[in-house]
């Protein structure tokens, strides 16, 4: 219903009739234009989503926080967990469904952890503080192996499907970890890797002068035997698959070829407003951590340099270059095909 334009009684001359008619037409046209703009914006969003032809579920915007401050560190970023519903009605936990608060999943031991005052300067110092009661036994007659891990940001590690250790610091400050386990060869390492986020559901954090800036991931690991010999390092022979990619500004920038999920054509520049960014989600396969899981159709891991990941100023890494950058076998940082936009990645490798 239109509001009354005038309440004063005037003599309806031809001039006043013309004025009233003009005012009413102007009011009606203005309302019509506003309605048209709103409809146009809505249609643009629907078209953007419907034009996507990949296998992922799509979400848009920031998730609702469901678990706040799961870990706190004096100089660390706020570490929350969120939930969001995709356009196909599925619900997703972001940045990932993890076992960080699961007391039955063991924590790793510290190689370096400034949040808890474990600022070890050498591998020997860290190992001297390792509690042997924390060795995870998988095979009673097996050999003890030691894994050294630096992850940006969070990891959970399984050996033959058995949980052997999770990261103590899910976001920042950056830390590194030691895990010891007893197992017989061959054995399969499977890891969930998570690049945490401040703006839940869109893979962003405040950085480089932008409120919404895409973070980056990366993980490096070295496995040694009881004689301190390297038996495995992260490299291009590992398998790696992404299950959460964000932020996506334009859904037309992503593509899939078989089981490869590409986003190299997507814009990674920061923004002051990312509330309309999209995210892509894929369901994790069941029993992905088991030794008999078939990962043959997963892509090989993509490798990255120390400079790509930016670890040359992080003591959690630089104090232990004798391990991670061993001159005889230099371990490589690995991730999926996009270390900036892929936020939840599963990796696997079998040691024979």
């Amino acid at each position: 219903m239109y509001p009354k334009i005038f309440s004063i009684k005037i003599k309806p001359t031809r001039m006043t009739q013309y004025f009233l008619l003009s005012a009413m037409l102007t009011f009606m046209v203005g309302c019509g234009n506003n309605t048209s703009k709103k409809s146009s914006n809505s249609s643009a969003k629907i078209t953007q989503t419907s034009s996507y032809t990949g296998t992922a579920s799509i979400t848009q915007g920031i998730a609702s926080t469901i678990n706040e401050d799961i870990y706190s560190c004096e100089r660390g970023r706020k570490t929350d967990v969120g939930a969001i519903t995709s356009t196909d009605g599925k619900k997703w936990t972001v940045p990932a469904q993890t076992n960080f608060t699961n007391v039955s999943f063991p924590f790793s031991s510290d190689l370096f952890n400034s949040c808890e005052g474990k600022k070890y300067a050498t591998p020997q110092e860290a190992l001297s503080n390792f509690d042997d009661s924390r060795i995870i036994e998988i095979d009673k007659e097996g050999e003890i192996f030691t894994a050294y891990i630096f992850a940006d940001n969070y990891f959970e590690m399984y050996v033959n499907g058995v949980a052997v250790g999770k990261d103590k610091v899910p976001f920042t400050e950056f830390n590194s970890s030691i895990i010891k386990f007893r197992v017989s060869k061959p054995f399969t390492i499977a890891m969930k890797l998570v690049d945490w986020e401040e703006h839940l559901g869109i893979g962003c954090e405040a950085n480089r002068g932008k409120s919404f800036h895409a973070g980056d991931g990366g993980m490096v690991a070295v496995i040694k035997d009881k004689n301190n010999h390297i038996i495995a390092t992260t490299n291009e022979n590992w398998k790696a698959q992404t299950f959460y990619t964000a932020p996506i500004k334009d859904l037309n920038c992503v593509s899939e070829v078989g089981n490869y999920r590409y986003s190299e054509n997507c814009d990674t520049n920061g923004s002051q407003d990312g509330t309309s960014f999209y995210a892509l989600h894929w369901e994790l396969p069941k029993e992905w951590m088991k030794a008999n899981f078939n990962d043959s159709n997963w892509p090989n891991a993509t490798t990255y340099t120390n400079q790509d990941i930016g670890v040359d100023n992080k003591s959690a890494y630089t104090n232990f270059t004798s391990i991670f950058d061993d001159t005889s076998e230099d371990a490589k940082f690995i991730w999926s095909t996009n270390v900036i936009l892929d936020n939840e990645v599963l990796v696997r490798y079998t040691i024979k």
Side-chain angles (χ1 to χ4, degrees), residues 19-266:
F19 176 79
L20 287 170
L21 180 59
S22 297
M24 184 170 291
L25 286 172
T26 300
F27 180 80
M28 292 173 66
V29 170
C31 291
N33 286 341
N34 288 340
T35 303
S36 177
K37 287 181 180 179
K38 184 180 293 186
S39 176
S40 176
N41 290 339
S42 177
S43 297
K45 289 183 179 180
I46 293 171
T47 301
Q48 174 80 198
T49 303
S50 62
S51 67
Y52 173 73
T53 58
T55 59
S57 296
I58 303 169
T59 59
Q60 185 177 26
I62 297 176
S64 300
T65 301
I66 58 172
N67 201 347
E68 193 169 7
D69 295 321
I70 64 170
Y71 183 82
S72 60
C73 178
E74 183 178 353
R75 298 182 62 187
R77 291 180 181 268
K78 186 171 172 56
T79 308
D80 299 338
V81 178
I84 193 168
T85 302
S86 53
T87 56
D88 56 7
K90 295 179 181 178
K91 294 184 178 180
W92 304 90
T93 300
V94 288
Q97 182 74 52
T98 73
N99 286 289
F100 185 76
T101 59
N102 179 1
V103 295
S104 65
F105 198 116
F107 279 109
S108 61
S109 295
D110 294 313
L111 183 59
F112 187 95
N113 184 352
S114 58
C115 289
E116 299 180 17
K118 307 295 179 60
K119 299 181 181 182
Y120 301 130
T122 65
Q124 293 73 27
E125 184 182 3
L127 286 169
S128 68
N129 285 277
F130 185 89
D131 180 357
D132 285 348
S133 68
R134 297 175 63 85
I135 297 174
I136 304 298
E137 184 176 286
I138 301 162
D139 298 316
K140 187 174 182 179
E141 304 302 322
E143 180 183 343
I144 293 177
F145 297 92
T146 304
Y148 300 88
I149 303 161
F150 177 99
D152 182 356
N153 297 110
Y154 174 79
F155 75 87
E156 294 176 355
M157 181 175 176
Y158 299 83
V159 173
N160 289 348
V162 177
V164 295
K166 61 187 175 187
D167 208 326
K168 277 190 172 181
V169 184
F171 207 166
T172 58
E173 295 186 0
F174 290 97
N175 66 310
S176 48
S177 307
I178 300 174
I179 297 173
K180 289 191 177 186
F181 51 92
R182 183 185 296 275
V183 70
S184 300
K185 290 183 179 179
F187 61 90
T188 298
I189 294 175
M191 300 176 72
K192 175 181 286 191
L193 309 176
V194 182
D195 179 25
W196 220 271
E197 55 194 17
E198 282 185 317
H199 299 299
L200 298 171
I202 54 174
C204 289
E205 60 194 41
N207 200 1
R208 301 181 185 179
K210 301 293 185 180
S211 298
F212 293 81
H213 194 284
D216 58 358
M219 185 278 293
V220 63
V222 174
I223 316 299
K224 291 190 173 186
D225 64 16
K226 63 181 179 180
N227 297 316
N228 202 38
H229 295 149
I230 296 175
I231 63 163
T233 63
T234 44
N235 56 36
E236 68 279 0
N237 295 318
W238 289 53
K239 294 289 188 176
Q241 182 62 287
T242 181
F243 291 88
Y244 169 40
T245 301
I248 302 295
K249 300 177 184 179
D250 182 351
L251 290 171
N252 293 312
C253 72
V254 296
S255 62
E256 295 180 34
V257 179
N259 286 291
Y260 284 77
R261 299 161 181 173
Y262 293 115
S263 54
E264 73 273 13
N265 294 323
C266 298

Side-chain angles (χ1 to χ4, degrees), residues 263-289:
S263 54
E264 73 273 13
N265 294 323
C266 298
D267 183 4
T268 59
N269 291 317
S271 172
Q272 298 300 355
D273 182 8
T275 55
S276 63
F277 290 168
Y278 295 96
L280 304 180
H281 309 260
W282 291 266
E283 294 180 1
L284 273 61
K286 293 181 179 179
E287 300 188 336
W288 63 268
M289 72 291 291

Side-chain angles (χ1 to χ4, degrees), residues 230 233 322-323 325-331:
I230 296 175
T233 63
S322 62
I323 293 177
D325 296 333
D326 188 291
T327 54
S328 65
E329 193 165 357
D330 187 5

